Amino acid sequence: MTELNYTIKDFKSENEVRWCPGCGDYAIMNAVQRTMADMNVPQEQFAVISGIGCSSRFPYYMSTFGFHSIHGRATAIASGVKCANPDLNVWVITGDGDSMAIGGNHFIHLVRRNIDLNVILFNNKIYGLTKGQYSPTTDRGFITKTSPFGTVEDPFVPGQLVLGSGGSFFARAVDSNVKHNQQVFAEAAKHKGTSIVEVLQNCVIFNDGIHEQIADPKHRAERQLFLEHGKPMIFGKENEKGLVLECGRLKVVTIGENGVTQDDILVHDAKQVDLSIHMQLIQMSLPEFPIAMGVIRAVEAPVYDEELVKQVEEVTANRKVNSMDELLCSGNTWEVNEPNSSEPVPFFKKKCPIS
């Protein structure tokens, strides 16, 4: 295959980027553009589809094909794009409100079908474009413009929703860690089926610092667990902590204490079909646990668009009717002759006269 030698500049459009200064969207876009440049995929084979929200301006800033669709429908439109054009490399850009609220139905059925799309879910736990209302991922008790006394409902955890919908790929990242984002996006692009990457994104205007406890580089080693398939789940400034399985539940231990050795630490298996450990990793929260980052789940499953193409080819190869004329002329057909004034109208069963 010919080496295309793209750079990040090849995927930047001429449009002025109009996000608030300091918005986490800049870093995410930078990682996406770097990922695409390294994929050795022709530029004209990329399509970026978005819904409505701050993140949904994304297609304007990408030098690819794109579609800025309507609220909550990015996944539905992207599904049609991919099924009609199986060779396209389709990326969906969506937010926690766009995908989890008005687009929730489309989101879960995309995941269920396992269409070969890459979805980047920007999660800032707020509606930014519409000026600070609480979203489906806003924490219980959080005060916003639409919950002045605190929310009285529990939030969606995107990873739980993905696994509950039968998801084959889920990963998590933080907007400010561009290098790690690029690694995760590359893994998502390689996956056959629906890949969902939740990016913890900061909204500097309406929810500034919402992920600070997790994202702060000073505490990254202690509060983030970077997962790699086939490697032990170790974290900490000196890689002195890890996860073990005790009575079916994950537990944080310190290597060297109470006889614990590195051999006791649980090895991450992203390809394990059983989702119990993956679900526990998704649900881990501070301060008891670090936040699981990287590819949490990546399993093989039937891919909808591939199955659709295969079915169409099989039906086409075995069909008995090859045109509309043949369809209209199949079965019992009749010709009505022009009657004369003294005779009744005759009907004759005969071959269809359509040519």
Side-chain angles (χ1 to χ4, degrees), residues 97-128:
D98 188 53
S99 61
M100 305 275 99
I102 189 171
N105 188 51
H106 296 303
F107 182 84
I108 61 174
H109 289 294
L110 167 67
V111 174
R112 177 180 66 85
R113 292 182 175 116
N114 201 36
I115 299 174
D116 192 17
L117 302 173
N118 308 305
V119 180
I120 303 179
L121 197 168
F122 295 49
N123 186 4
N124 55 24
K125 299 190 175 187
I126 203 77
Y127 278 99

Side-chain angles (χ1 to χ4, degrees), residues 7-299:
T7 69
I8 186 173
K9 292 182 179 179
D10 292 309
F11 289 91
K12 292 186 175 187
S13 76
E14 297 178 353
N15 294 321
E16 177 188 359
V17 181
R18 300 185 66 184
W19 286 316
C20 301
C23 176
D25 291 6
Y26 288 96
I28 300 171
M29 183 172 68
N30 186 282
V32 170
Q33 290 167 334
R34 291 178 183 277
T35 301
M36 289 182 174
D38 290 344
M39 286 175 60
N40 205 43
V41 172
Q43 196 170 5
E44 64 273 14
Q45 289 186 13
F46 286 102
V48 179
I49 316 295
S50 67
I52 293 295
C54 294
S55 63
S56 293
R57 295 172 178 163
F58 212 95
Y60 297 111
Y61 309 142
M62 299 291 296
S63 184
T64 64
F65 287 111
F67 197 119
H68 188 181
S69 70
I70 56 179
H71 206 187
R73 273 57 178 181
T75 49
I77 291 171
S79 297
V81 169
K82 181 64 179 181
C83 290
N85 305 272
D87 293 333
L88 285 183
N89 198 288
V90 182
W91 294 69
V92 178
I93 306 299
T94 185
D96 48 297
D98 188 53
S99 61
M100 305 275 99
I102 189 171
N105 188 51
H106 296 303
F107 182 84
I108 61 174
H109 289 294
L110 167 67
V111 174
R112 177 180 66 85
R113 292 182 175 116
N114 201 36
I115 299 174
D116 192 17
L117 302 173
N118 308 305
V119 180
I120 303 179
L121 197 168
F122 295 49
N123 186 4
N124 55 24
K125 299 190 175 187
I126 203 77
Y127 278 99
L129 186 67
T130 49
K131 309 300 183 281
Q133 301 87 350
Y134 75 88
S135 85
T137 59
T138 301
D139 296 324
R140 174 181 280 272
F142 200 76
I143 294 174
T144 72
K145 290 182 178 179
T146 49
S147 57
F149 305 106
T151 62
V152 291
E153 55 188 65
D154 290 320
F156 270 139
V157 176
Q160 290 180 345
L161 195 61
V162 171
L163 266 60
S165 303
S168 61
F169 185 103
F170 178 76
R172 187 187 285 136
V174 171
D175 57 5
S176 56
N177 194 338
V178 175
K179 184 177 180 180
H180 182 247
N181 286 346
Q182 191 176 341
Q183 294 171 354
V184 171
F185 295 157
E187 289 299 315
K190 292 176 187 175
H191 179 71
K192 296 299 292 182
T194 302
S195 60
I196 307 291
V197 180
E198 176 194 13
V199 182
L200 306 182
Q201 181 255 347
N202 191 46
C203 174
V204 292
I205 304 300
F206 296 106
N207 217 8
D208 193 23
I210 188 61
H211 301 298
E212 187 174 6
Q213 282 191 308
I214 303 168
D216 187 346
K218 295 179 182 178
H219 305 292
R220 179 183 295 168
E222 293 290 329
R223 298 177 182 174
Q224 296 184 40
L225 169 61
F226 292 94
L227 298 169
E228 292 185 65
H229 175 69
K231 294 188 177 181
M233 302 187 208
I234 293 175
F235 67 102
K237 290 182 179 179
E238 304 296 331
N239 287 327
E240 76 282 12
K241 298 179 182 179
L243 297 181
V244 297
L245 201 60
E246 188 175 275
C247 298
R249 305 297 300 171
L250 293 177
K251 179 183 177 181
V252 174
V253 295
T254 301
I255 299 172
E257 293 184 2
N258 301 316
V260 175
T261 69
Q262 185 165 320
D263 291 338
D264 297 316
I265 303 303
L266 197 62
V267 173
H268 180 47
D269 185 358
K271 301 182 185 301
Q272 172 58 252
V273 175
D274 185 289
L275 51 76
S276 56
I277 299 297
H278 296 163
M279 185 66 83
Q280 289 188 56
L281 288 169
I282 286 168
Q283 294 175 154
M284 291 195 311
S285 61
L286 299 173
E288 182 181 1
F289 291 98
I291 304 302
M293 295 291 173
V295 179
I296 295 173
R297 182 173 179 82
V299 300

